[in-house]
Amino acid sequence: MPSAAADYDLDCPLVRARLHAGDLLAERGVYGLVWLDDDLIVRNRYGSIANFIEVGVPLTDCVLPVIGLEDDIRALKGCKRSMLRLPNVSTVTEAGPGQRLTLLFYSFDETVPYIMIVAASASQSELELELSRQVRARLMAEAEALAKSQELARANAELRVLNDNLEQFAAIVTHDLKAPMRAVRYLVDEIDTAIGDSDTGTAREKLHKLRRQSTRLSSMLTALLHYSSTGLSKRSVETVDTLALVKDVVHSLPHRGVEVDIAGDWPTLDTLVAPLDLALRNLIENAVKHHDRDTGSLRIVCADVGSALEITVEDDGPGIAPEHHASIFLPFRTLASSGEGMGLAIVQKMIDAAGGTITLTSHPAERRGTTFRIRWPKQIAL
Amino acid sequence: MTPRKIMLLGEIGVGKSSIARRLVFDRFESEYKPTLGVDVYSYEIEPSLNPQPGAGAKFMIWDTDGNFGDNILSHIYIKQAAGALIVGDGTRRTTLESMLHLGRSFLDAMPGRYCTFLVNKSDLTSAAAELPPALTHSQIPIVRTSAKTGENVREAFLGAADAIRRRRL
């Protein structure tokens, strides 16, 4: 902008050269000028880049991005060294984005209160565009890699659990089924000997035992299959009234003189219904089955402990000796004369898979009774 | 009536421009073209959708360059904004965290203005996909959108327009 009287001397070659350069830039659409009055009405314009601006109308009618800046433009008045800059603005229409422009506002003088310079945004835009594309591509690749890494970690964790289950399953098959299989073999040998001795009485007796043993073996295998096949799926998550659930379980089981009391706060929540049912069913059934008296009591209490429900199943039965506390949750471990000993193993598996825990408290030497305490998470992670 | 200004803010590549194009032109372009500076769209609510025809029906949507980050809040672009739709990419968790930070910063810088989170690209995520807990507890409304299918884009904007009109912003 001219700042001294000499700058207006058209006889001065430097002034003429500067003005000519300005004309060239204006003709080539590099910059344009717009003169504005106090009301920000367009009074004149210069340069092809400003051709979209209509003379005689408010600037805000032609240049939408200026809407809201009127006060800031007016604040420039009298401050010749101040400028308001609105950079890199493009107005988008159905045909696509318009030319990207930078608008510069200055205060001028009494006759022309404000001037707006319209300039084409710098050509480094193409480089910035490409840089933005590359940064975005990198960010998306990083996000994808992170998601895959997390998926891999989850799959590995699942695989570890499956491997552990497989090892446990193999250990059970080789160890716990070996005894009954051995018994079957011995009985077959004894039957063979008895037949050889024409001792039909002994042979018949051994055959009877063989039948019982094979039945026992069959039921062990069935129980083992049931244990290994109990798993989780997302389809199992349902909204459940836990009070109604525990009442159903209690009413469906024989009590044999054991009085059952349900207490505490039993909420409605989205959880794995079948596993919770199975866990409660086995604990309640166990408490009744192992009770050594004609009458007894069983108390089932639920409490909200923040992120989990704490369900306590407390009986007044004979208790479980401490030396059995660790092994009682293993498959085929039973302190009763009947049953396969899979109940608590199934309970443990159900609770583990839901992300919960189960603990046992029992000191029969000090007092009667056994307390199982389940922590069942309110949010199931699958 | 002076058009109201609504900002589209968020990290690069979350779909701000796609949302603007879907809203204004009902169009989606799969090719990515980064926004430099700001693209300004003019949008007028259809009379059939405007509960108060003629009142507060015109808006300017300022689709900003995602590279600004927090600096957008001290930029001239944000002046006189009535509200902001802050966009995150539902398939990139880091952008949702940035969205939360930007939302809080926007409301600190411009108290009383309207603000909503748009979790975009819902066509690529499940409806049950978990959002960061801090986002869901932020008390800023959240809308899952898809610029590709158009899901909830107009609804999110109409909600913003209605709130701006009621608050006389």
Side-chain angles (χ1 to χ4, degrees), chain B residues 8-126:
Chain B
L8 275 173
L9 307 177
E11 282 200 13
I12 63 171
V14 296
K16 300 183 293 298
S17 301
S18 295
I19 284 173
R21 280 194 289 269
R22 171 60 75 184
L23 176 69
V24 179
F25 306 125
D26 197 18
R27 218 162 53 205
F28 177 80
E29 293 166 20
S30 54
E31 186 195 348
Y32 175 62
K33 296 172 190 169
T35 306
L36 295 178
V38 65
D39 287 345
V40 180
Y41 297 74
S42 182
Y43 180 64
E44 187 165 355
I45 297 175
E46 298 156 55
S48 60
L49 295 175
N50 186 4
Q52 295 184 28
K58 288 188 180 176
F59 293 87
M60 286 192 297
I61 299 165
W62 284 55
D63 173 23
T64 59
D65 181 342
N67 281 307
F68 274 115
D70 275 10
N71 294 329
I72 190 71
L73 299 173
S74 55
H75 200 279
I76 192 171
Y77 293 159
I78 206 92
K79 272 189 173 292
Q80 297 298 323
L85 302 177
I86 303 180
V87 187
D89 179 345
T91 67
R92 288 189 286 147
R93 196 177 177 89
T94 52
T95 66
L96 301 182
E97 289 154 6
S98 293
M99 187 169 78
L100 175 65
H101 174 71
L102 199 51
R104 287 176 177 157
S105 300
F106 175 79
L107 291 176
D108 283 344
M110 310 197 74
R113 297 297 194 270
Y114 177 79
C115 183
T116 287
F117 291 142
L118 303 189
V119 178
N120 196 34
K121 306 190 187 179
S122 64
D123 55 290
L124 298 176
T125 59
S126 75

Side-chain angles (χ1 to χ4, degrees), chain A residues 133 155 158 163 332 376:
Chain A
R133 278 202 189 99
E158 268 183 30
N163 279 342
F332 300 129
W376 189 269

Side-chain angles (χ1 to χ4, degrees), chain A residues 2-245:
Chain A
S3 58
D7 291 335
Y8 293 101
D9 181 4
L10 294 179
D11 290 329
C12 172
L14 288 176
V15 172
R16 286 206 306 276
R18 194 178 68 230
L19 291 175
H20 181 64
D23 287 344
L24 285 174
L25 290 173
E27 284 165 22
R28 282 160 175 72
V30 176
Y31 94 104
L33 281 176
V34 179
W35 287 259
L36 304 164
D37 66 14
D38 272 321
D39 296 320
L40 302 182
I41 308 277
V42 177
R43 287 299 171 214
N44 211 340
R45 66 160 196 258
Y46 173 69
S48 60
I49 199 173
N51 280 349
F52 69 97
I53 296 173
E54 289 180 55
V55 177
V57 301
L59 180 66
T60 50
D61 283 2
C62 320
V63 188
L64 288 184
V66 175
I67 295 173
L69 296 179
E70 298 92 320
D71 289 344
D72 298 275
I73 296 168
R74 291 195 181 96
L76 294 169
K77 195 166 188 180
C79 306
K80 292 218 173 183
R81 295 200 180 276
S82 295
M83 173 195 67
L84 184 72
R85 183 170 179 267
L86 184 60
N88 296 320
V89 182
S90 169
T91 304
V92 185
T93 64
E94 185 85 44
Q99 187 174 10
R100 196 164 297 281
L101 302 172
T102 292
L103 308 177
L104 302 155
F105 296 87
Y106 295 88
S107 169
F108 195 55
D109 63 20
E110 295 294 323
T111 53
V112 182
Y114 309 102
I115 279 196
M116 179 176 81
I117 295 177
V118 182
S121 286
S123 63
Q124 74 252 29
S125 295
E126 296 301 322
L127 179 61
E128 288 176 1
L129 263 169
E130 185 52 33
L131 281 174
S132 274
R133 278 202 189 99
Q134 288 184 18
V135 167
R136 176 180 177 271
R138 179 175 60 78
L139 287 173
M140 291 183 76
E142 282 173 3
E144 202 176 315
L146 179 64
K148 282 186 176 164
S149 166
Q150 287 170 344
E151 175 61 27
L152 189 62
R154 192 190 62 77
N156 280 342
E158 268 183 30
L159 200 56
R160 271 193 294 275
V161 169
L162 287 173
N163 279 342
D164 289 344
N165 284 344
L166 191 60
E167 280 179 18
Q168 188 187 54
F169 188 86
I172 291 165
V173 169
T174 55
H175 179 265
D176 291 275
L177 294 182
K178 201 184 279 184
M181 287 299 296
R182 196 182 305 121
V184 165
R185 199 173 70 246
Y186 289 161
L187 283 167
V188 168
D189 288 345
E190 285 169 9
I191 292 166
D192 191 33
T193 303
I195 290 171
D197 295 342
S198 301
D199 183 355
T200 52
T202 303
R204 206 183 301 280
E205 182 199 330
K206 297 298 177 188
L207 270 173
H208 182 64
K209 284 184 181 174
L210 179 61
R211 189 178 294 116
R212 278 209 324 264
Q213 197 62 33
S214 68
T215 303
R216 173 170 159 70
L217 196 53
S218 174
S219 64
M220 284 178 75
L221 283 169
T222 301
L224 187 59
L225 277 171
H226 176 56
Y227 167 80
S228 65
S229 67
T230 41
L232 302 172
S233 78
K234 290 182 183 175
R235 290 188 293 275
S236 305
V237 175
E238 300 168 41
T239 303
V240 61
D241 176 347
T242 56
L243 181 60
L245 176 76

Side-chain angles (χ1 to χ4, degrees), chain A residues 239-252 260-269 271 273 276-277 280 284 300-303 309 311:
Chain A
T239 303
V240 61
D241 176 347
T242 56
L243 181 60
L245 176 76
V246 69
K247 282 181 176 175
D248 280 345
V249 170
V250 167
H251 290 144
S252 70
V260 181
D261 174 36
I262 301 170
D265 297 320
W266 294 83
T268 296
L269 74 165
T271 193
V273 181
L276 180 58
D277 179 296
L280 289 172
I284 295 166
I300 311 165
V301 182
C302 182
L309 299 180
I311 301 172

